[in-house]
Amino acid sequence: MKAVDRMRTLRAFVVKELRHILRDRQTLTILLLLPLSQVVLFGFAIRTDIREIRLAMVAPVADAATHALRARFEGSDRFTLVPVPPSTAAIDALFRRGAIDVALVIEPGLADHLADGTPARLQLIVDASNPNSGATMGTYATAVLAGWQATLPGTARPVRIDQQVRMRFNPTLESVNLFVPGLIALILTLVSAMMTAISLSREKERGTMEILLVSPLRPWQIIVGKVAPYLLLAFANVVTALLAAWLIFDVPFRGSLVLLLAASTLYALVCLAIGVFVAARTSSQLTAMMGALLGTMLPSTLLSGLIFPIASLPLPLQVVSNVIPARWFIVVVRGVMLKGAGVVHVWHELAILTAMLLVLLVAATRSFKARLA
């Protein structure tokens, strides 16, 4: 065969393959969207600076010096002051609920201490359940305090400030305490959502789904039968992950095991519903796998607060993160494991996950029935 003929054959083969790709609209769309979404998500999500740090300033006596210090934090573009009663009694609950990131406790008579030169004690308490964020927030707050101290008027005696920084929940700033609880969310997402989507799509590709449809089983029974083993597998994965966290990584567990397992089961059900929905909307295993990867794994990794603080994301991505189930589940896992949070502290996140489950179940069931009809 001549070289020209070989080139014509090769060109015809390339054109045939190109047309094949163009005909598969679902795969083509995902192949085009996946790199773009990765660029956008990684570009915006991978940031180490933190903004909108929620600060609770506890000052039993609001004197002039306290007002000046409050104004200093309010003038910073990194802190948002959370109104709290002038007592330390509510701080612990606020930390466990995740309502504040930093607390600054000022002893009474700050202005008098500054005037007479006696040490003025300030205690800075930082939520260090995320050690990277905790260290950064502590540095930001210390910098604001240093700036405020530099503006104090001179007195006959030098100004003395006894500043104490306390890292709450993770005093040694162990990074493993951050990632191990968050990895439970990723494991459940992988097993429940991705594997369910691939499994159901495989049945559709092989044509065995039609065999099931002519059986006495109803559609909802088929779905339940398909996803139930993955629910058990997800539960087993949570148990093994917790055992590894305790025995290997020595991650503290301060909350209720029953609450954590119940929350994990709820989150696994949410992921299973996502997997069924993805399978109903796709026509092949490859498309289902990529759809699950694009719709669950990437957002769960980058936009859930697993690695990077949500407050560091641009506002549009912060809004998007609200519809990512992993965002709320990670708050529950870290709250229960590291902070000893109870139902009263995480009921808001559990309610959101429950609402997501109901919506996804309705959407998945309707989509699956429509595809089977």
Side-chain angles (χ1 to χ4, degrees):
M1 184 180 291
K2 296 180 180 179
V4 176
D5 294 333
R6 291 195 184 97
M7 292 304 299
R8 287 177 179 172
T9 304
L10 177 60
R11 186 181 64 180
F13 183 69
V14 171
V15 171
K16 190 269 291 182
E17 290 297 320
L18 182 61
R19 288 176 177 173
H20 177 70
I21 294 174
L22 293 176
R23 279 198 298 269
D24 191 351
R25 298 289 180 86
Q26 286 187 344
T27 303
L28 178 63
T29 303
I30 290 177
L31 287 176
L32 292 175
L33 287 181
L34 186 59
L36 178 62
S37 63
Q38 285 181 315
V39 171
V40 173
L41 290 179
F42 279 89
F44 282 113
I46 301 178
R47 296 187 177 186
T48 57
D49 55 332
I50 306 174
R51 297 188 182 278
E52 298 183 12
I53 302 170
R54 295 161 299 176
L55 171 73
M57 182 178 290
V58 181
V61 178
D63 50 27
T66 303
H67 285 301
L69 182 54
R70 177 183 295 275
R72 194 78 183 184
F73 276 101
E74 288 175 338
S76 171
D77 59 350
R78 298 192 181 276
F79 290 92
T80 301
L81 266 67
V82 177
V84 293
S87 170
T88 58
I91 290 180
D92 186 69
L94 291 173
F95 270 121
R96 293 183 189 279
R97 201 166 62 237
I100 59 174
D101 304 305
V102 180
L104 178 63
V105 182
I106 305 172
E107 70 169 349
L110 176 62
D112 296 337
H113 285 293
L114 295 177
D116 59 22
T118 55
R121 287 183 294 182
L122 305 177
Q123 187 180 36
L124 191 65
I125 307 172
V126 181
D127 183 352
S129 55
N130 184 328
N132 299 328
S133 300
T136 304
M137 291 187 296
T139 302
Y140 289 161
T142 304
V144 174
L145 288 172
W148 165 76
Q149 187 176 356
T151 61
L152 293 176
T155 58
R157 298 180 180 179
V159 175
R160 298 173 59 189
I161 295 180
D162 184 7
Q163 181 179 313
Q164 301 176 3
V165 180
R166 178 186 173 194
M167 292 294 177
R168 188 72 191 278
F169 306 122
N170 187 11
T172 57
L173 298 179
E174 295 288 342
S175 60
V176 70
N177 294 348
L178 166 70
F179 291 112
V180 171
L183 286 177
I184 295 176
L186 285 187
I187 292 171
L188 289 177
T189 304
L190 175 66
V191 174
S192 303
M194 186 173 290
M195 296 308 297
T196 301
I198 294 174
S199 173
L200 291 174
S201 299
R202 182 170 59 242
E203 297 284 358
K204 291 164 61 178
E205 266 191 345
R206 293 177 176 176
T208 52
M209 187 63 73
E210 284 73 12
I211 299 176
L212 292 174
L213 287 175
V214 297
S215 68
L217 294 172
R218 296 180 179 276
W220 69 267
Q221 291 175 313
I222 297 174
I223 296 175
V224 171
K226 285 290 180 184
V227 302
Y230 289 103
L231 179 61
L232 295 176
L233 186 59
F235 191 83
N237 283 330
V238 171
V239 174
T240 54
L242 289 176
L243 288 175
W246 291 331
L247 300 177
I248 300 176
F249 300 107
D250 199 23
V251 177
F253 192 100
R254 302 186 175 97
S256 168
L257 177 61
V258 175
L259 174 60
L260 181 58
L261 293 178
S264 300
T265 304
L266 174 62
Y267 179 70
L269 289 172
V270 173
C271 293
L272 288 170
I274 294 176
V276 175
F277 181 77
V278 172
R281 291 290 178 178
T282 54
S283 57
S284 67
Q285 292 184 67
L286 177 62
T287 309
M289 182 183 68
M290 300 187 72
L293 176 67
L294 183 62
T296 58
M297 291 302 292
L298 278 179
S300 298
T301 304
L302 298 175
L303 304 181
S304 64
L306 172 65
I307 302 175
F308 309 104
I310 293 176
S312 301
L313 300 174
L315 183 59
L317 289 184
Q318 290 188 34
V319 175
V320 172
S321 70
N322 289 318
V323 298
I324 298 174
R327 168 183 175 167
W328 308 106
F329 179 65
I330 287 176
V331 174
V332 176
V333 176
R334 287 178 178 163
V336 174
M337 290 186 68
L338 303 181
K339 303 179 182 179
V343 177
V344 293
H345 302 119
V346 297
W347 68 268
H348 178 248
E349 288 76 14
L350 294 176
I352 292 175
L353 286 174
T354 303
M356 287 182 174
L357 174 61
L358 296 176
V359 172
L360 286 169
L361 281 178
V362 172
T365 304
R366 288 185 176 179
S367 298
F368 210 81
K369 286 181 177 178
R371 298 288 294 187
L372 295 178

